[in-house]
């Protein structure tokens, strides 16, 4: 089973189902926990090197509209929106 990083999973229920299998051939990979509130994400977590992202004028101007959100959080919101319409300008 593969779940994308925007999937929600009820871990106690999953573990209960796995426990019921009682199979030695059952293998489990890894569980990744994604923070659902990315508003505090630092820009350097997304851009390497991060200086070009820090100084991009259009990004700075757009993200000023969201003063409670870190620059990295703003970029994550933009990227999340672009998933649905990749053709649109990033700052529309």
């Amino acid at each position: 089973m593969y779940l994308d990083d925007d999937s929600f999973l009820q871990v106690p229920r999953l573990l209960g189902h796995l426990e019921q299998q009682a199979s030695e051939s059952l293998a489990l990979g890894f569980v990744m926990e994604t923070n659902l509130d990315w508003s505090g994400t630092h820009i350097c977590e997304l851009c390497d090197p991060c200086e070009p992202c820090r100084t991009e004028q259009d990004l700075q101007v757009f993200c000023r509209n969201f003063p409670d959100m870190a620059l990295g959080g703003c970029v994550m919101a933009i990227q999340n929106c672009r998933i649905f319409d990749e053709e649109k300008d990033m700052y529309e």
Side-chain angles (χ1 to χ4, degrees), residues 20-51:
Q20 290 174 1
Q21 299 301 313
S23 170
E24 292 179 7
S25 64
L26 182 65
L28 182 66
F30 65 94
V31 177
M32 186 174 74
E33 185 176 342
T34 302
N35 188 356
L36 298 178
D37 179 13
W38 26 256
S39 62
T41 303
H42 195 279
I43 191 65
C44 292
E45 292 181 53
L46 305 173
C47 299
D48 184 25
C50 67
E51 199 55 37

Side-chain angles (χ1 to χ4, degrees), residues 3-17:
L3 298 173
D4 201 4
D5 63 355
D6 59 354
S7 300
F8 294 94
L9 182 64
Q10 187 181 23
V11 174
R13 186 172 179 207
L14 171 67
L15 294 177
H17 284 287

Side-chain angles (χ1 to χ4, degrees), residues 37 39-40 63-71:
D37 179 13
S39 62
C63 290
R64 279 190 204 122
N65 293 303
F66 309 97
D68 295 334
M69 190 177 290
L71 184 58

